Amino acid sequence: MSQIQAIRERVRRLGARPAHELRILRLWAQAKPQNSGRRPLESFMPTALREDLAQLTDDLNGLLRLQSAHPAEDGSVRWLLALQDGQTLETVGLPRDGLCVSSQVGCAVGCVFCMTGRDGLIRQVGSAEIVAQVAFARLHRPVKKVVFMGMGEPAHNLDNVMEAIEVLGTVGNIAHKSLVFSTVGDPRVFECLPMGLVKPALAVSLHTTRADLRAQLLPRAPKMSPEELVEAAEVYARQTGYPIQYQWTLLEGVNDSEEELEGIVRLLKGKYALMNMIPYNAIDDLPFKRPSWERAAEMARTLHRRGILTKLRNSAGQDVEGGCGQLRARELQSALNEPPVMNGTSPIHFVKAKPATVL
C-alpha cells in the first residue's frame, strides 16, 4: 500500500464515497485520529469502511518506522526511517515548521559531492510513503512547509511525487507555495508541474554557471545548460507567481570564484529568482570543503549589491553530521561491520546496490 491510489481503491471497495475518501486522507495527512470529530462514525460512514478503520490506521502507520532520531542544536532533527521492505530514508524536521522529505532511496544523478548518490538509485519512494513522512513528522512537531530536497531526484519519480503533492496541497493543509519541488533540471518537470492541480514552488539545483563544470559536478543530470535551465524555470515562475529558488552548494575552490559571481549576475539579473547559497556540509572520504563563512557572506553581499536577491543559509544539523544520505550510509556501514546475524542456518548478507541509469 505504498501508493495513495491503493488507499483510495481500498476504501472505495469498502463503500467509501468521495467525502469519506477525502476525510480519511485528510486525517491521515494531518496526523489526526480517524475517529476525530463530533459526529459518531456510525451516523455517516458505511459499516464495512468503519470496521476497517483500525486496520487501515495500523497499515498507514506501518508504512515506515523510526530507526533513529538525531536532534541538532539549531532546532532541526534528522530522522532515519525504515520502510516496509527494510530500506531506509532520511526525513528532516527544519526550524520554523519546515520538513524535508525524501522521494527516492538513493539517487541516479550521482552528484560528486553528495552521499546519497554514491550507490545509485535503489528504489522509488511511493506517494503514500512520501505523505507518511509528513504524517510521522506531525506527530512530533508542526509542519507548515514541505520541501522535496531529501534523498533522491523528484524529477525521476514524477508520478509519485505529484500524487503526494496533490494530497498535501489539498487535504494535507500545506499552502501551494510552501510545497517546494527541488530538481537538478529535467525537461519533464517544466512540462508536468504547470499541469498539476497543485502547483508547487520550484527549487533548481544550479551549483555553477559553467556547463562544463556542471557536467562534472552532476554527471548524470539531463544535458540542459545553465542558460536553458534558467530560461525554462523563469517561464514557470511567471506562470505561478512564485520566484524560483536557485540552490548553490558552496564548494571551496570549485564554485566560489569571482567568475562564478559574474556568471550568476549574467544569468539571474532581472529574473524572478532567489539565490540560496549553502556552504557545503562536509562528508568523510570526499575531497570537498566548505569555504569560510566570511567568504560565503562576502559572496552573498556582492550579489545583493548587483541586484540578485540572495540568502546565505546553513545546512541544518551540522553538529550531528547529518548531511543528506549520511545517516543512512552510517547505518548501513554499521550493519556491515557487525558480525553476521544467524537466523536458522543462514547468515544475513548486505549487498551493495549497483548504480542505476537515469530514468
Side-chain angles (χ1 to χ4, degrees):
M1 201 173 61
S2 63
Q3 312 290 330
I4 291 169
Q5 186 58 33
I7 301 171
R8 294 182 185 275
E9 291 172 358
R10 173 174 171 170
V11 300
R12 289 170 188 173
R13 287 195 299 269
L14 295 168
R17 295 188 290 276
H20 301 133
E21 182 181 318
L22 291 176
R23 182 184 190 277
I24 288 168
L25 291 174
R26 173 174 57 82
L27 293 173
W28 168 50
Q30 296 186 28
K32 296 178 181 179
Q34 287 294 332
N35 59 359
S36 297
R38 296 180 180 179
R39 294 175 60 193
L41 294 179
E42 55 268 23
S43 69
F44 65 89
M45 185 172 285
T47 300
L49 178 59
R50 188 174 70 249
E51 291 176 348
D52 187 59
L53 279 183
Q55 184 59 55
L56 176 62
T57 298
D58 288 345
D59 292 344
L60 293 174
N61 291 340
L63 286 171
L64 46 79
R65 67 182 186 278
L66 178 64
Q67 198 91 334
S68 60
H70 305 262
E73 292 181 358
D74 60 8
S76 65
V77 56
R78 292 179 178 267
W79 293 295
L80 184 67
L81 303 175
L83 302 168
Q84 289 181 312
D85 61 1
Q87 295 290 349
T88 54
L89 53 75
E90 297 176 29
T91 304
V92 185
L94 302 169
R96 296 179 293 280
D97 300 340
L99 184 72
C100 180
V101 298
S102 293
S103 58
Q104 296 180 308
V105 178
C107 182
V109 176
C111 301
V112 297
F113 50 84
C114 176
M115 180 67 78
T116 300
R118 294 183 75 174
D119 289 336
L121 175 63
I122 296 170
R123 83 163 174 87
Q124 305 288 16
V125 176
S127 55
E129 293 168 328
I130 294 171
V131 175
Q133 294 174 64
V134 180
F136 168 85
R138 280 176 157 167
L139 294 174
H140 302 274
R141 56 201 290 154
V143 175
K144 297 179 181 177
K145 180 176 183 177
V146 177
V147 298
F148 288 76
M149 297 181 183
M151 295 170 57
E153 164 55 52
H156 294 171
N157 192 16
L158 263 177
D159 289 345
N160 282 304
V161 170
M162 294 306 294
E163 188 174 34
I165 283 175
E166 181 172 324
V167 168
L168 294 172
T170 53
V171 295
N173 199 30
I174 304 289
H176 296 193
K177 65 181 179 180
S178 295
L179 291 160
V180 184
F181 185 109
S182 177
T183 181
V184 297
D186 190 306
R188 293 171 294 182
V189 170
F190 305 110
E191 296 168 4
C192 181
L193 262 60
M195 298 172 62
L197 176 64
V198 175
K199 296 173 179 58
L202 181 62
V204 174
S205 296
L206 191 57
H207 304 310
T208 178
T209 63
R210 291 171 43 197
D212 60 334
L213 178 58
R214 196 164 193 272
Q216 295 176 40
L217 296 176
L218 287 67
R220 293 190 291 277
K223 303 306 179 185
M224 295 181 73
S225 69
E227 290 79 8
E228 291 170 330
L229 194 51
V230 169
E231 287 304 318
E234 181 69 7
V235 172
Y236 185 72
R238 300 299 175 180
Q239 287 174 331
T240 60
Y242 312 147
I244 303 300
Q245 301 174 38
Y246 290 96
Q247 308 294 101
W248 192 283
T249 299
L250 276 170
L251 305 168
E252 184 180 55
V254 177
N255 62 357
D256 60 347
S257 66
E258 294 300 319
E259 176 189 359
E260 289 283 24
L261 287 174
E262 291 297 328
I264 292 171
V265 173
R266 172 177 52 81
L267 280 181
L268 300 187
K269 185 78 170 182
K271 298 293 193 298
Y272 197 19
L274 165 66
M275 171 59 75
N276 285 321
M277 287 198 154
I278 310 166
Y280 179 61
N281 195 344
I283 296 174
D284 292 341
D285 303 325
L286 292 184
F288 302 101
K289 296 180 180 179
R290 57 194 292 151
S292 69
W293 189 258
E294 291 74 20
R295 173 55 183 161
E298 176 57 28
M299 292 181 70
R301 283 193 294 268
T302 299
L303 290 174
H304 263 301
R305 288 195 296 267
R306 302 286 297 276
I308 308 299
L309 179 60
T310 304
K311 292 187 178 180
L312 181 59
R313 301 183 183 275
N314 214 346
S315 181
Q318 287 284 318
D319 54 310
V320 296
E321 294 184 338
C324 194
Q326 291 188 60
L327 296 181
R328 183 177 189 277
R330 286 202 296 270
E331 189 252 357
L332 290 175
Q333 187 60 48
S334 176
L336 286 167
N337 291 337
E338 289 179 358
V341 178
M342 301 303 292
N343 181 11
T345 58
S346 301
I348 297 175
H349 296 283
F350 293 86
V351 181
K352 183 177 178 180
K354 295 180 180 180
T357 56
V358 176
L359 300 181

